[in-house]
């Protein structure tokens, strides 16, 4: 009499397992299944967007999968809010169009807008900005350039194991975000690449940037108005211009910066180590509760700078300012 009971229990367990596996499989959205091609030549933008839309509309936690291979991606916005938690898992390489003019004045390459409870994990993102840099250096009339990976109005986000290469102007930006952890990322561009910031934060709170390497042509980390409760730790910075708060006081009415800690980090061959800079003009902006601790400087030109008379190119305020286009 016991054998049928055992058989029934085993059968019941197998059925439940099959149901759970089926549910799990149904919540995986592989971009290749939606038409993306891992050949580095075919425009895969539509395939990525369809995979995202499927995951975003899922009632249960979902995963967007970018498998091994090279995928060509034009300007794209992954919009939220979504119905459940999303993991964006990248095993391959995502490349931008070689012709920088394709982006026009969009300002963004890959934008995550109004997402929450999301993780971006792994992958290499190559903006292939050599043509754009050449345009900038030649003094021609060039487009403003695009940020490689951006999060706007996002909350409860984890970014882990990502490599960003050859950004046009900024590798990774947070604007208006809350509760973001960025860990073990690599942001890489040549030291002579113009205005290529690494990690750029403004109007955001509760951000941690840890265990990461930034080698670029401008600020390793740039901190703008409205940044609160920002921890930078275990950063390897260089080449680049160091960690910079500002420039601030761009506007008469401006949000302040507070509770920023930079600790246990190494700066190698950088122009600056840690810096606070503001224009010499009236503003409601402020900087307070900033801690620089346990920092190692190797061949750094200016280890610590606090400059309240920031005036690049010795021009009166109103000239070019890197924050004006964000």
């Amino acid at each position: 009499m016991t054998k049928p009971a055992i058989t029934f229990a085993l059968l019941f367990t197998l059925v439940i397992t099959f149901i759970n596996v089926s549910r799990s499989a149904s919540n995986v959205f592989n971009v290749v299944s939606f038409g993306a091609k891992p050949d580095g030549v075919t425009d895969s933008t539509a395939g990525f967007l369809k995979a995202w839309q499927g995951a975003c509309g899922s009632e249960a936690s979902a995963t967007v999968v970018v498998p091994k291979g090279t995928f060509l991606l034009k300007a794209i916005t992954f919009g939220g809010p979504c119905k459940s938690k999303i993991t964006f898992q990248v095993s391959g390489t995502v490349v931008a169009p070689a012709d920088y003019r394709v982006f026009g004045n969009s300002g963004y390459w890959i934008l995550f807008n109004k997402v929450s409870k999301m993780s971006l994990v792994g992958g290499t993102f190559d903006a292939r900005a050599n043509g754009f840099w050449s345009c900038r250096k030649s003094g021609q009339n060039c487009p403003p350039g695009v940020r490689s990976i951006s999060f706007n109005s996002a909350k409860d986000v984890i970014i882990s194991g990502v490599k960003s290469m050859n950004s046009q102007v900024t590798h990774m930006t947070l604007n208006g975000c809350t509760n973001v952890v960025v860990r073990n990322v690599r942001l890489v561009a040549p030291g002579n690449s113009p205005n290529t910031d690494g990690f750029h934060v403004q109007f955001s709170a509760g951000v941690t940037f840890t265990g990461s390497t930034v080698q670029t042509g401008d600020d390793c980390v740039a901190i703008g108005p409205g940044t609160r409760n920002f921890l930078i730790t275990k950063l390897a910075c260089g080449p680049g211009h160091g960690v910079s708060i500002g420039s601030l006081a761009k506007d008469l009415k401006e949000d302040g910066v507070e509770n920023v800690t930079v600790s246990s980090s190494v700066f190698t061959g950088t122009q600056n180590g840690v810096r606070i800079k503001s224009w010499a003009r009236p503003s409601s902006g402020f900087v307070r509760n900033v801690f620089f601790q346990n920092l190692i400087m190797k061949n750094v030109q200016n280890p610590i700078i606090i400059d309240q008379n920031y005036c690049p190119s010795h021009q009166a305020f109103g000239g070019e300012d890197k924050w004006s286009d964000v």
Side-chain angles (χ1 to χ4, degrees):
M1 295 297 293
T2 58
K3 287 185 178 180
I6 293 172
T7 302
F8 176 79
L10 179 60
L11 179 62
F12 181 78
T13 301
L14 290 172
V15 169
I16 294 300
T17 301
F18 176 77
I19 292 173
N20 288 335
V21 169
S22 298
R23 285 178 178 172
S24 176
S26 67
N27 294 331
V28 174
F29 298 83
N30 190 316
V31 296
V32 173
S33 301
F34 292 87
K37 302 293 184 182
D39 58 12
V41 177
T42 306
D43 181 6
S44 293
T45 308
F48 272 64
L49 190 57
K50 289 176 183 177
W52 172 263
Q53 290 169 342
C56 190
S58 173
E59 296 287 351
S61 298
T63 301
V64 175
V65 172
V66 181
K68 292 182 179 180
T70 301
F71 297 86
L72 175 64
L73 200 62
K74 294 182 179 178
I76 189 169
T77 298
F78 298 110
C82 298
K83 292 185 177 180
S84 189
K85 180 180 177 181
I86 294 182
T87 300
F88 203 105
Q89 177 72 55
V90 184
S91 298
T93 298
V94 180
V95 297
D99 184 357
Y100 62 89
R101 292 168 295 188
V102 170
F103 289 112
N105 295 321
S106 66
Y108 298 100
W109 176 24
I110 300 169
L111 171 62
F112 294 90
N113 189 47
K114 297 181 179 179
V115 299
S116 63
K117 297 180 180 179
M118 183 202 145
S119 298
L120 174 61
V121 181
T124 297
F125 298 81
D126 188 350
R128 302 201 289 186
N130 283 286
F132 177 76
W133 298 335
S134 296
C135 181
R136 290 286 295 266
K137 290 177 180 179
S138 68
Q140 299 177 34
N141 184 20
C142 309
V146 294
R147 305 158 191 84
S148 289
I149 303 171
S150 299
F151 286 80
N152 286 358
S153 303
K155 63 180 179 180
D156 302 328
V157 171
I158 296 173
I159 304 169
S160 178
V162 172
K163 180 179 180 180
S164 173
M165 300 173 58
N166 305 317
S167 64
Q168 287 191 6
V169 290
T170 307
H171 289 278
M172 189 175 292
T173 67
L174 304 182
N175 184 33
C177 297
T178 306
N179 296 335
V180 179
V181 175
V182 182
R183 61 192 181 209
N184 303 326
V185 303
R186 292 190 63 203
L187 312 178
V188 181
N192 62 352
S193 54
N195 299 112
T196 51
D197 281 345
F199 187 58
H200 175 153
V201 181
Q202 66 177 13
F203 303 113
S204 298
V207 178
T208 298
F209 186 66
T210 184
S212 297
T213 299
V214 184
Q215 300 169 315
T216 192
D218 208 295
D219 294 336
C220 289
V221 181
I223 303 166
T227 300
R228 296 180 291 111
N229 305 329
F230 184 20
L231 171 63
I232 303 168
T233 183
K234 298 179 182 178
L235 166 68
C237 171
H241 292 181
V243 173
S244 182
I245 298 176
S247 57
L248 303 178
K250 177 179 180 292
D251 299 312
L252 180 62
K253 293 183 178 181
E254 184 178 272
D255 288 352
V257 174
E258 59 184 328
N259 302 335
V260 175
T261 298
V262 185
S263 70
S264 304
S265 297
V266 179
F267 299 78
T268 304
T270 55
Q271 182 188 77
N272 308 300
V274 289
R275 176 169 61 161
I276 302 173
K277 57 181 181 178
S278 64
W279 295 87
R281 68 190 302 264
S283 175
S284 62
F286 60 85
V287 179
R288 65 186 176 214
N289 296 335
V290 175
F291 299 91
F292 300 139
Q293 56 191 25
N294 301 326
L295 305 180
I296 297 174
M297 308 282 179
K298 300 178 180 179
N299 299 319
V300 174
Q301 295 178 36
N302 308 298
I304 299 176
I305 299 177
I306 299 177
D307 181 5
Q308 292 184 282
N309 191 31
Y310 178 64
C311 190
S313 303
H314 304 287
Q315 295 177 353
F317 186 83
E320 180 182 358
D321 176 27
K322 69 164 68 177
W323 296 95
S324 61
D325 65 338
V326 177

